[in-house]
Amino acid sequence: PARVAPPGRGALGVPGGADCVHGGATGAGDVVVQPGGWLDATSVTVGGDVVATDAYGVLLDGTSVAGDVSVYSAGTRNGFLYLNDLTVGGDVAAGGVDVEISDSTVSGGLLTQEASYVDLLRTSVRGDVTLDGSAFGVTVAGAVVGGPLSGSNGARALRVGQAGRLRRGALR
C-alpha cells in the first residue's frame, strides 16, 4: 500500500508495483511514484509536485497540483500520464510515455520528449509548449497557448485544430 503522511503534512510515496487510488484527499507535500507504481487521484489537492519515473502510470482527474507534474520513462516501461480537469501551478513535463491532457490549466509550460503520442485538448497552457519526438503523432485541439508552440521529430503528423486545420485564435 501507499505510504501516506498525516493529513496536510509530508509526502505521499507510491511504492513500486503498488496501486494508489485516492479520492478527495489533500496533502501539503509531494507525490512520488516509484517504478512500476500507479497513481489514480480524483478530486485531490497536492501542495507540492507529482513526480514519477518508470511508473505504470499517473492519472489525475479533477485535481489541483500546486507545483510541477513530471512523468518520465527511462526506457524500461512505457507508462502514461493522463490529466483531466486539472489545475497545475507549475510546469508539466513527460517523456517516453503516452500523454493525454484535457480540460486543464497549466500555469507554466508543457514539455514532452519521445512520448508515444500526445493529445492536448481544450487546455490552457500559459507558457511555452514543446512537443518533441512523438512516435504516434500529436493532436492539439481547443487549446490556448500563451507562448510559442513547437513540435519536432515526430514520426507522424502534428494535428492542430479541427480536422488538422489551425483555427484563428485557437493558439497564441
Side-chain angles (χ1 to χ4, degrees):
R3 297 181 314 266
V4 181
R9 290 184 268 157
L12 168 68
V14 180
D19 298 345
C20 180
V21 179
H22 277 285
T26 298
D30 297 336
V31 176
V32 178
V33 183
Q34 299 297 324
W38 177 32
L39 174 65
D40 181 347
T42 303
S43 300
V44 170
T45 300
V46 177
D49 300 330
V50 174
V51 179
T53 303
D54 287 331
Y56 174 77
V58 173
L59 167 64
L60 303 173
D61 186 1
T63 298
S64 67
V65 176
D68 300 327
V69 176
S70 176
V71 178
Y72 278 89
S73 172
T76 58
R77 165 173 294 287
N78 186 14
F80 60 86
L81 171 62
Y82 299 156
L83 307 178
N84 182 53
D85 190 26
L86 176 75
T87 300
V88 179
D91 297 319
V92 174
V97 298
D98 302 342
V99 178
E100 295 181 13
I101 304 172
S102 60
D103 304 305
S104 296
T105 300
V106 178
S107 294
L110 169 63
L111 169 65
T112 65
Q113 300 169 301
E114 303 299 325
S116 301
Y117 68 90
V118 178
D119 287 344
L120 180 63
L121 310 172
R122 300 172 309 278
T123 292
S124 171
V125 180
R126 293 194 181 122
D128 299 352
V129 173
T130 303
L131 312 169
D132 183 44
S134 298
F136 293 99
V138 172
T139 300
V140 178
V144 177
V145 177
L149 167 69
S150 64
S152 59
N153 302 315
R156 298 195 182 177
L158 167 63
R159 296 176 47 87
V160 179
Q162 289 181 311
R165 295 184 307 270
L166 180 61
R167 292 186 334 221
R168 181 174 295 271
L171 299 176
R172 295 181 211 186

